Amino acid sequence: MRRYVIKRIAQAVGVLWAAYTVSFLVLDYLPGDPVSAMAGAGADSGQVDPAQLAALRHQYGFDRPVPVQYAEALGRAVRGDFGDSVSTGRPVTSSLGDALPQTLQLTGAALLLAVLLGGGVALLATYTTRRWLRQLLLSLPPLGVSVPTFWVGLLLVEVFSFRARLFPAFGNDGLRGLVLPAVTLAIPTGALVAQVLAKSLLTALDQAYVETARAKGAGRVRIHLRHALRNASLPALTVVGLLAGQLIAGSVVVETVFSRDGLGRVTAAAVAAQDIPLVQGVVVFGALIFVSANLIVDLVYPVLDPRIVVHSRRRVSPA
Amino acid sequence: MTSHPDTRSARWTAAAAVVTSGILLSGCSSSDGTGSSGTDGRARSGGTLTFAVGSDAGCVDPQQVGSNDSIYSVRQVVDSLTDQDPRTGKIVPWLAKSWDISSDTTTFTFHLRSGVTFSDGSRLTAQVVKDNFDAVPKLGALATLAQGYLSGVRNTEVVDPSTVRVTFKKPNAQFLQATSTHSLGIESSASVKLSPQEKCSKGVAGSGPFTLSDYVQNRSVTLSKRAKYAWGSSLWAKKGEAYLDRLVFKVVPEAGVRSGSLQSGQVDAIGSVGKADETALKGGAVNLQRRANPGVVFNLGLNNSRPLLKDAKVRQALQLAVDRQQIVDAVFPTGTEPATSVLAHTTPNYADLGPDLSFDAAKAKSLLDAAGWKTGSDGVRSKGGTKLRLTVKWFANAATNQPALELIQQQLKAVGVDVVLKQLQITQFAPTLQSGDFDAVWGNVTRADPDILRSSYSTELANFYHLPASPLDTALNRQAATADPDRRGELVKTAQELLIRKAYIIPVVELETQLGVAKKVHNLDFDASSRVQLHDTWIG
C-alpha cells in the first residue's frame, strides 16, 4: 500500500514538472514577448523607444539565456514563487489566490448540480422499463456534451436574465449570480457523469450477482441502488479526474460569458496579454488541480476495492 | 434544481423559440437615436451610473492606460491643465487658467488656478505639475501615450508657486493639446512618487470630480463623487460638484451580454457597440451615441520601401481601387464615414480631400497598365515575372478588421492585385512596425491633434512606413513649430494633400466610437478624443 501511494505521488509530481516545462518551452517559442505586449497595449501607433523596451526586458530578465531563465524560474516555482504578473505587477500567486475562491464556488456548485442531474438521468434511464423514455434519457448526455457551453450560457442569459429578469447577467454577486453560470457549467459535466454512470449501471445490471439477488427476492429499487449502483460507481469515480479538467476548461468560457471574476478570466486575460509568468502559474495550477483530483481517485480506489493494490504491486515490482 | 430531464428539454425548445422570435421582432423595429441624449426635464443630483465596458487593462492609473475601456473610468479621477472643445478642437482653460507659448513653440508657461486640492488633501502647485511631468517619461513603455506627448522635453521649471514652464528641445506645437488628455492628467505629488505597479493596482489621488473608491481587477471600478469640487473645465455646463454620487464600471467582455444588460436595465450605459448589436438596441429605451475618433483613420499603411510600392502609380492605383463606401455599408456600424483624408473629420485642421479618394476602378486599371503591369490568365497582374501581390498584416483588435480587409481583398482583386491577408496578435503590432517586415499593415491612431501626422509620417522620426525624405517633412516640421492656428492649419492641410496625392498611405474608414446609453441618462457626452466626460451627466 505504501509503495502504491509513493508511486502515485511521484507520478503526480512528474506531471506537474512536465506541465511547467512544456508550458515554459511553448511560451518561449511563441513569437512576441510580454514586454512588447505591454508596449503594444498602450501604443496603437507602436511608437516605443527600443532602448526602453530593452531596459524593461532586462528588468524582467527576458534578456538572459533560456536555460538560465528556466532553471531560475523552476527553482522559484518549487518554492511556490511564480514571479510577478507582467501586466499588473502583482505576484502571480496572489492573482491566482484571489481568483480561486470565486472559481471554487462556481465549479463546486456546478459539480454538485452535475452529479445530481447526471446521476439522476443515469439512474432513471436504467431503471425505467419504458423503452421510449430510456431512449430519450440516454440521448440527453451526448447532446449535453456536444452543445457549445458558450451558446448555452448566452441562451440562459437571454431567457432568464434579459427576458425573465430572474437572475443577473454578469458579476460575482451572491447566490443569485451563481445560478446561471453553475447551470451552464453543469450541463457538459453532468452529461459526462450520466454517460459513464448509465453505461456502467447497464453493465452491472447484466452481472450474475444481480440475478442472484433477484432470485433471493430483492426488490427492483434495492437491486438498483444497493447492488448495481455500488458496483457501477467505481468506473464513474474514474471520471472525476476528467471532470476536474472539464470544469477548469469550462470555467474559462463560463466566466467570460457571465463576466465572472475567477481563474478562467485570469487565464483568458493572461493569454491575451502574453503575460508569461501568469500563464505559467495558471498552467501549473490547472495541472495541480487535475493531478490532485486523479491522485485522490487513485488513493480512494484501494479503499473501495483492495484488489487494485495487489494488482498494482504485481505489475510494478518484477523482483 | 433536479428538474425532470424531459421537461428540461421542452423548456429548452421554448427558450430557443423565445430567443429567435425576440431577435426577429427587434429586427423589425427602427428609430435611430443618434446624438446626445436630450436635456428635457430638470437636471437632478444623486444616483449611480452603471457603465459596462468590455475589458480591463489591469490598471487604474490615468497616465499609464491606453485602452478606451479603462480611460472612461480613470479620466474622471484626474483633471488636466487644459481641456479641448470637441466641436472646435480649441484648447480651453481647466487647471491652468491661462498660458503663454513662445513663438517657436518650444516653451509653454501655464498659470495655475488657485484653491485646487487633490483627494488626498494636498494642494495643486507648480511643483506638483513639475513632479508629474518629470515622472511621466520615467514610466517609459508602461505609459507610451503620455511619454510620447512629453518626448523631447528639456525641463520643467517652477517659476513661482502658481506658474510652471515646460521647455522642449525642438518646436512642439502638439504639447498644448497633449495637456488636455487624460494621459497628462495631474496627480498628487504623493501619487506620482508611487511605483508604476502601485499606481496601477491602487489608483492615484487626482483633483477630478470623482475619486476611486474600489477597484477589483477584471470585475469593476467604483468611483465616488468628490464633495466641494469647484474647479471644473470651462467646457462643462454645471459648475461645482458632479451630479452623480457614484459611477460603477463593470467589466462585461461579451458584447451580447453588454447589450442585453443595457436593454434589460441591468446597466445604464455600455461601450463598444458593434454593428451586430445595433439592431437589438434600436427602438428600446436606449440611445446610440456615436462620434468618429480623431486622428489617423483606419488605413493600409504601406511600406514605401518595397519594390512594388516604390512606384507612385501602383500606390495611386491601390488608392483608387478601394470602394470605401461599400466597405462602410457592408461592415461598419451605422454612421461610420468613409475616409476623406488621412485624418478623421473630428481632428482639428482636418482637410476634406474626399474627391481624391473616390472609387475609380477604370482609372486604377489604366494606371497599372501604364506602369507595365499586365494581367495574367489568373487575373493577377505581373511584370517581369513578378506578381502584383501584397501581404497585408492585420491585428485582432476590432471585430470589423477581418470583414473590412476581405472586402478590400476582393476590390483589389478586381483590378488585378492579389492581396494576401496575414493575421497577427495585437502584441505583435509594435514589433512588426519596428522590423519593417510588411508590405502593408491595417491600423489607426486616435489623437485629437494633427501632429499625429508628424509622429507617424515624418522621415526624421521612427518612419515606420519608410517614406522618402520630401517636402512633406518640411510641412510636418513647420506645423509643429507654428503657434498661429490659421498658419498651422494651412501647413497641416498641405501635409494631408501630400500624403494623399503621393498615395503614401491608403486611408479607408474612420473609426467610430459607439456607446449605448439608456434614455434616462442625460448629458453623457463625448470629449474631443471621443471618450466620455461624466461630470455633467445625470439620471432622471
Side-chain angles (χ1 to χ4, degrees):
Chain A
M1 180 71 189
R2 217 176 100 195
R3 209 189 174 112
Y4 172 83
V5 171
I6 290 170
K7 191 190 160 205
R8 288 290 177 270
I9 290 176
Q11 275 176 345
V13 171
V15 169
L16 282 180
W17 171 77
Y20 187 86
T21 305
V22 170
S23 64
F24 184 92
L25 293 175
V26 167
L27 289 168
D28 182 69
Y29 177 75
L30 285 178
D33 66 69
V35 170
S36 318
M38 289 153 77
D44 42 2
S45 57
Q47 286 152 0
V48 186
D49 185 352
Q52 272 169 342
L53 288 182
L56 272 173
R57 278 196 190 96
H58 181 73
Q59 186 190 323
Y60 284 98
F62 294 127
D63 56 347
R64 288 172 306 160
V66 174
V68 176
Q69 287 187 47
Y70 173 72
E72 282 201 10
L74 185 62
R76 281 188 286 111
V78 168
R79 297 193 298 271
D81 175 9
F82 286 85
D84 292 344
S85 156
V86 173
S87 47
T88 63
R90 295 185 61 210
V92 167
T93 41
S94 65
S95 290
L96 296 179
D98 285 355
L100 183 62
Q102 311 298 332
T103 301
L104 281 183
Q105 215 178 50
L106 172 65
T107 49
L111 188 62
L112 186 70
L113 278 178
V115 169
L116 289 176
L117 285 175
V121 168
L123 280 173
L124 202 64
T126 49
Y127 184 78
T128 184
T129 48
R130 285 182 210 134
R131 208 181 139 72
W132 66 269
L133 182 59
R134 171 174 295 195
Q135 289 304 329
L136 180 74
L137 289 172
L138 288 179
S139 69
L140 286 178
L143 184 72
V145 172
S146 55
V147 289
T149 312
F150 200 75
W151 180 80
V152 172
L154 288 178
L155 190 72
L156 292 179
V157 167
E158 179 67 37
V159 176
F160 295 103
S161 179
F162 299 156
R163 292 185 189 273
R165 306 196 182 184
L166 292 172
F167 303 103
F170 57 83
N172 295 54
D173 309 324
L175 204 59
R176 278 181 65 232
L178 192 62
V179 173
L180 295 182
V183 169
T184 308
L185 190 53
I187 285 170
T189 320
L192 196 65
V193 171
Q195 241 170 351
V196 175
L197 191 62
K199 191 164 188 297
S200 42
L201 272 172
L202 288 175
T203 315
L205 287 168
D206 274 347
Q207 302 288 317
Y209 66 83
V210 170
E211 281 306 315
T212 315
R214 205 168 279 151
K216 282 182 175 173
R220 275 193 71 219
V221 174
R222 189 180 160 85
I223 288 175
H224 213 85
L225 294 180
R226 278 292 296 272
H227 298 277
L229 181 60
R230 190 167 179 178
N231 280 286
S233 62
L234 208 63
L237 192 64
T238 314
V239 293
V240 168
L242 280 178
L243 290 185
Q246 180 133 31
L247 287 168
I248 298 168
S251 73
V252 176
V253 175
V254 171
E255 287 176 359
T256 303
V257 172
F258 291 94
S259 318
R260 280 182 70 84
D261 199 12
L263 284 179
R265 281 286 293 290
V266 170
T267 308
V271 170
Q274 292 195 358
D275 192 334
I276 287 182
L278 195 51
V279 173
Q280 279 241 279
V282 164
V283 168
V284 174
F285 196 77
L288 183 69
I289 295 175
F290 194 77
V291 161
S292 310
N294 281 292
L295 188 63
I296 292 168
V297 171
D298 282 349
L299 297 181
V300 169
Y301 260 158
V303 177
L304 292 181
D305 188 348
R307 285 172 302 174
I308 285 168
V309 175
V310 178
H311 180 71
S312 147
R313 183 176 300 156
R314 210 176 288 143
R315 232 186 15 199
V316 293
S317 49
Chain B
M1 290 312 296
T2 47
S3 62
H4 213 262
D6 57 351
T7 62
R8 201 177 166 72
S9 83
R11 208 163 66 189
W12 273 39
T13 318
V18 169
V19 174
T20 323
S21 64
I23 290 165
L24 291 176
L25 281 176
S26 54
C28 297
S29 58
S30 58
S31 140
D32 190 0
T34 319
S36 181
S37 34
T39 45
D40 45 309
R42 186 175 290 176
R44 66 186 80 165
S45 290
T48 298
L49 177 84
T50 311
F51 197 129
V53 294
S55 65
D56 174 26
C59 186
V60 281
D61 176 18
Q63 293 178 350
Q64 292 183 60
V65 300
S67 118
N68 268 3
D69 283 342
S70 293
I71 294 168
Y72 291 155
S73 55
V74 299
R75 161 83 275 193
Q76 317 305 325
V77 173
V78 287
D79 294 328
S80 299
L81 290 178
T82 62
D83 201 359
Q84 184 176 20
D85 190 324
R87 284 176 304 114
T88 62
K90 201 169 172 284
I91 305 298
V92 299
W94 195 345
L95 290 181
K97 56 187 185 207
S98 64
W99 50 87
D100 313 302
I101 303 172
S102 68
S103 57
D104 63 351
T105 71
T106 55
T107 307
F108 298 77
T109 309
F110 296 93
H111 306 283
L112 303 176
R113 224 165 149 147
S114 60
V116 176
T117 58
F118 293 93
S119 56
D120 62 5
S122 62
R123 303 181 71 82
L124 172 73
T125 61
Q127 183 63 43
V128 179
V129 177
K130 176 178 163 55
D131 291 345
N132 273 268
F133 289 174
D134 287 350
V136 160
K138 292 183 193 138
L139 293 169
L142 298 170
T144 46
L145 292 177
Q147 189 224 343
Y149 299 159
L150 277 167
S151 74
V153 71
R154 187 188 298 280
N155 65 4
T156 303
E157 50 189 316
V158 173
V159 179
D160 66 51
S162 64
T163 311
V164 63
R165 179 175 298 143
V166 187
T167 309
F168 289 88
K169 293 171 194 150
K170 281 186 182 168
N172 195 8
Q174 62 87 28
F175 181 65
L176 185 64
Q177 188 275 340
T179 62
S180 77
T181 65
H182 72 281
S183 303
L184 294 185
I186 306 297
E187 303 170 357
S188 81
S189 285
S191 292
V192 166
K193 291 190 183 81
L194 298 173
S195 75
Q197 282 79 14
E198 282 177 302
K199 289 185 5 152
C200 264
S201 58
K202 300 198 182 85
V204 297
S207 64
F210 292 90
T211 56
L212 180 72
S213 49
D214 189 38
Y215 169 51
V216 186
Q217 204 194 327
N218 276 335
R219 210 191 294 181
S220 63
V221 177
T222 306
L223 307 176
S224 308
K225 171 156 76 179
R226 175 98 190 269
K228 302 200 178 102
Y229 177 86
W231 41 86
S233 157
S234 48
L235 290 174
W236 296 350
K238 183 182 192 296
K239 300 295 163 214
E241 299 174 358
Y243 286 113
L244 294 163
D245 289 337
R246 261 157 53 94
L247 307 173
V248 181
F249 293 84
K250 301 255 187 194
V251 183
V252 180
E254 246 308 293
V257 176
R258 278 200 303 278
S259 58
S261 303
L262 176 61
Q263 274 181 302
S264 61
Q266 298 182 48
V267 300
D268 306 310
I270 60 171
S272 319
V273 180
K275 198 180 182 84
D277 302 312
E278 263 180 15
T279 334
L281 288 171
K282 278 177 190 164
V286 171
N287 284 320
L288 288 175
Q289 290 179 211
R290 43 178 82 110
R291 184 173 191 267
N293 279 31
V296 175
V297 297
F298 263 112
N299 68 88
L300 290 176
L302 305 178
N303 182 341
N304 288 270
S305 68
R306 293 285 210 230
L308 288 178
L309 296 167
K310 273 185 177 161
D311 188 344
K313 285 199 182 75
V314 172
R315 299 197 306 265
Q316 278 155 353
L318 295 175
Q319 204 169 60
L320 291 165
V322 174
D323 185 347
R324 293 166 183 78
Q325 190 62 49
Q326 189 187 38
I327 295 167
V328 165
D329 293 342
V331 178
F332 287 89
T334 311
T336 304
E337 299 200 16
T340 45
S341 170
V342 52
L343 294 175
H345 75 275
T346 45
T347 325
N349 299 324
Y350 146 88
D352 185 355
L353 303 172
D356 292 282
L357 293 173
S358 56
F359 169 63
D360 191 341
K363 198 170 167 196
K365 282 181 188 164
S366 68
L367 277 169
L368 290 172
D369 288 337
W373 293 93
K374 303 271 181 311
T375 313
S377 55
D378 57 352
V380 177
R381 288 170 189 265
S382 60
K383 182 163 93 172
T386 312
K387 292 264 184 195
L388 188 45
R389 177 173 292 139
L390 295 174
T391 303
V392 176
K393 294 192 171 171
W394 63 282
F395 307 89
N397 60 344
T400 44
N401 287 353
Q402 185 166 4
L405 284 166
E406 283 170 354
L407 198 46
I408 290 173
Q409 190 177 34
Q410 284 177 31
Q411 292 173 353
L412 292 181
K413 175 93 186 175
V415 299
V417 182
D418 184 25
V419 172
V420 180
L421 298 178
K422 186 158 189 221
Q423 184 186 359
L424 302 177
Q425 293 302 310
I426 181 67
T427 52
Q428 290 168 267
F429 196 4
T432 301
L433 282 182
Q434 276 158 13
S435 68
D437 180 22
F438 61 92
D439 294 331
V441 290
W442 174 252
N444 80 307
V445 193
T446 297
R447 175 78 203 269
D449 189 276
D451 193 60
I452 190 60
L453 293 178
R454 189 174 58 99
S455 358
S456 303
Y457 305 111
S458 165
T459 66
E460 292 161 20
L461 298 171
N463 195 16
F464 291 131
Y465 301 101
H466 302 272
L467 269 54
S470 74
L472 174 64
D473 289 321
T474 322
L476 292 174
N477 285 338
R478 284 171 62 197
Q479 64 79 29
T482 307
D484 172 30
D486 294 338
R487 179 77 193 112
R488 193 174 178 218
E490 282 302 311
L491 289 162
V492 171
K493 181 165 188 254
T494 307
Q496 291 171 77
E497 285 168 352
L498 287 171
L499 276 162
I500 298 296
R501 291 187 184 148
K502 294 272 186 189
Y504 288 130
I505 79 159
I506 315 294
V508 178
V509 58
E510 297 186 346
L511 169 67
E512 187 187 61
T513 294
Q514 182 159 253
L515 304 175
V517 182
K519 286 204 169 122
K520 63 175 185 173
V521 177
H522 306 271
N523 293 5
L524 194 157
D525 297 322
F526 285 113
D527 68 10
S529 302
S530 298
R531 286 142 192 166
V532 294
Q533 181 283 112
L534 299 172
H535 176 270
D536 289 347
T537 308
W538 58 279
I539 296 178

